[in-house]
Amino acid sequence: MSNTAYIYDAVRTPRSKGKKDGTLHEVKPIDLGAGLLRVLQQRNDLDTSYVDDVIMGCVSPVGEQGSDIAKMIVQNADWHESVAGVQLNRFCASGLEAVNSAAAKVASGWDNLIVAGGVECMSRVPMGSDGGAMAGDAAFAIKSGFVPQGIGADTIATLDGYSREDVDAYALESQRRAANARDNGWFDSAVVPVKDKNGVVILERDDFIKPESTMQGLGGLRASFEEMGKYGFDDIILKKYNTLERINHVHTPGNSSGIVDGASAVLIGSEQAGKDLNMTARAKVRATAILSSDPIIMLAGPGPSAIKALKTAGMTKDDIDLWEINEAFASVAMRYMRDLDISHEITNVVGGSIAMGHPLGATGGCIIGSMLNELERRDLSTGMLSLCVGGGMGISCIIERV
């Protein structure tokens, strides 16, 4: 049994600094997510009893984000009591994993309508607060050759020959593109203002973007991972990549993804769901892919996962109009373009997480909305979305307008 999985709508919150002085710090994760569900209901005149499941990615599912936050969000949004909910964690890929899983469930014919996305309030539940063996178990870390992702990003830059000026120039362009898109209203149809319980707007548009960035300013920032590398992590890398003399530490807060609060929600359903609920599909999911690559560098999986998705779809790179790679670090995006031999002109055309921030579990859903908007605005057909993932994984998804 096989059906087409259609995307009917995609929304996200604005993204804001994931610290205590961030604009969204006052908003609980269940409120951030519930606000999006209410908007999906209103925008689509949605009978929520028709929804089979809500799948939400969350990378730190503890404290306020614990106890199956997806189901708590469903209840907080006052949706029908028949609607189920599940939280999943595939590190930074969690939001796109939620979308891909929803598409697979719909394609199987066993579900008709699912909301997929994610939530991460990094100002309230700090990154890494969920613990785990990767960085927290010394024996496992030694066995697996664990190094922090930032050092993996610096290793990619060293291997590929990207200088500090190269990664800073990439970051500056991300800021320029994101500011231009925001200020021209290109995000507006996907971005839902966050309001308090009295209906007062807390945040209407992304406020993490730094349009005043300059090469001089970026160049003045200190390398984030150089000191960390001295504690033995550089030696772990050099043991495996023994042709390198040293690691060139080029990544800083200015050319790496920002820590932010945010949430996303994508409405995915069958053709029958559209007919039953009088909804018009905007796109369909052509293929998805997940794989793993080097778990030490940890960040080299996006390109191979995109190639795998193309193979599954029976497509070539020339069939893709726009590409989106999560900007965890500048070198990750640059390696992705090199792996696929694609131009920056058609990649991350409205900027990325270096400029807007990376709300871990939500980002995969966020970029679905951005991609849909740009395909429609430019009257193009097909987009590829990819993210690097902890443990060396890479994830991709191909969507096509209908």
Side-chain angles (χ1 to χ4, degrees):
M1 183 183 300
S2 178
N3 298 297
T4 300
Y6 291 99
I7 299 174
Y8 287 98
D9 205 357
V11 294
R12 70 170 176 89
T13 67
R15 287 176 261 189
S16 189
K17 185 179 180 181
K19 302 291 184 180
K20 290 184 178 181
D21 58 345
T23 312
L24 294 177
H25 175 63
E26 66 181 275
V27 186
K28 294 186 293 186
I30 57 170
D31 292 332
L32 211 58
L36 294 181
L37 264 57
R38 294 191 193 100
V39 168
L40 281 180
Q41 182 179 0
Q42 294 162 3
R43 280 170 47 143
N44 297 281
D45 192 21
L46 185 62
D47 175 3
T48 62
S49 68
Y50 196 101
V51 178
D52 294 297
D53 204 0
V54 173
I55 307 174
M56 301 294 275
C58 184
V59 176
S60 298
V62 294
E64 292 183 320
Q65 294 179 165
S67 69
D68 189 0
I69 189 172
K71 178 56 175 165
M72 303 307 104
I73 286 172
V74 169
Q75 293 178 219
N76 197 36
D78 300 314
W79 277 26
H80 196 273
E81 65 181 17
S82 65
V83 182
V86 63
Q87 172 270 329
L88 58 78
N89 182 3
R90 198 190 286 278
F91 298 131
C92 296
S94 298
L96 193 59
E97 177 65 25
V99 169
N100 291 358
S101 297
K105 284 161 71 73
V106 169
S108 75
W110 293 345
D111 286 307
N112 272 319
L113 191 64
I114 299 174
V115 175
V119 61
E120 207 80 41
C121 290
M122 301 179 76
S123 69
R124 298 175 70 100
V125 184
M127 179 170 56
S129 57
D130 57 325
M134 180 179 285
D137 183 327
F140 178 78
I142 293 169
K143 177 182 179 180
S144 61
F146 167 79
V147 300
Q149 284 192 345
I151 293 178
D154 287 339
T155 303
I156 290 175
T158 306
L159 288 168
D160 292 357
Y162 306 137
S163 68
R164 173 65 181 271
E165 290 72 22
D166 292 334
V167 292
D168 280 350
Y170 181 92
L172 188 64
E173 181 62 10
S174 180
Q175 295 286 357
R176 188 195 69 78
R177 292 182 182 191
N180 183 61
R182 179 194 61 185
D183 296 346
N184 280 289
W186 298 348
F187 297 144
D188 289 356
S189 64
V191 174
V192 174
V194 177
K195 301 178 181 179
D196 66 17
K197 60 182 60 180
N198 297 313
V200 176
V201 173
I202 297 172
L203 182 64
E204 187 171 19
R205 309 172 84 193
D206 297 299
D207 69 357
F208 189 78
I209 302 169
K210 301 174 179 62
E212 72 283 357
S213 298
T214 64
M215 281 294 286
Q216 182 178 6
L218 291 172
L221 297 174
R222 293 182 61 184
S224 299
F225 307 102
E226 187 168 12
E227 286 301 313
M228 197 178 294
K230 294 176 182 177
Y231 295 132
F233 291 118
D234 281 4
D235 292 335
I236 293 172
I237 288 284
L238 294 172
K239 183 178 179 181
K240 179 169 184 177
Y241 293 92
N242 53 24
T243 60
L244 298 177
E245 293 184 6
R246 64 182 183 86
I247 305 301
N248 186 20
H249 291 284
V250 298
H251 286 92
T252 71
N255 54 43
S256 307
S257 57
I259 293 172
V260 295
D261 296 336
S264 61
V266 183
L267 189 61
I268 299 173
S270 63
E271 181 179 10
Q272 189 61 50
K275 291 178 179 177
D276 291 345
L277 299 173
N278 195 30
M279 299 186 302
T280 301
R282 297 174 64 188
K284 61 183 176 182
V285 178
R286 283 289 305 268
T288 71
I290 188 74
L291 51 68
S292 190
S293 60
D294 180 4
I296 297 178
I297 284 185
M298 212 184 293
L299 302 167
S305 74
I307 293 169
K308 182 179 179 180
L310 289 171
K311 183 177 180 181
T312 299
M315 303 169 73
T316 72
K317 67 174 184 138
D318 295 330
D319 296 315
I320 304 298
D321 295 309
L322 296 178
W323 303 75
E324 183 80 23
I325 169 65
N326 183 44
E327 295 172 350
F329 302 91
S331 67
V332 171
M334 296 168 77
R335 163 68 71 91
Y336 182 77
M337 291 186 288
R338 175 178 289 192
D339 281 349
L340 294 158
D341 189 24
I342 55 176
S343 166
H344 198 187
E345 292 300 312
I346 54 172
T347 306
N348 290 17
V349 293
V350 291
S353 291
I354 289 174
M356 290 180 276
H358 177 23
L360 304 182
T363 303
C366 292
I367 63 177
I368 290 284
S370 295
M371 177 64 79
L372 270 175
N373 282 0
E374 279 305 295
L375 289 174
E376 291 168 351
R377 192 180 71 83
R378 296 166 181 248
D379 195 22
L380 298 173
S381 174
T382 307
M384 174 79 79
L385 306 105
S386 304
L387 295 93
C388 58
V389 194
M393 294 179 283
I395 192 170
S396 289
C397 175
I398 301 172
I399 64 172
E400 180 180 335
R401 286 178 63 202
V402 296

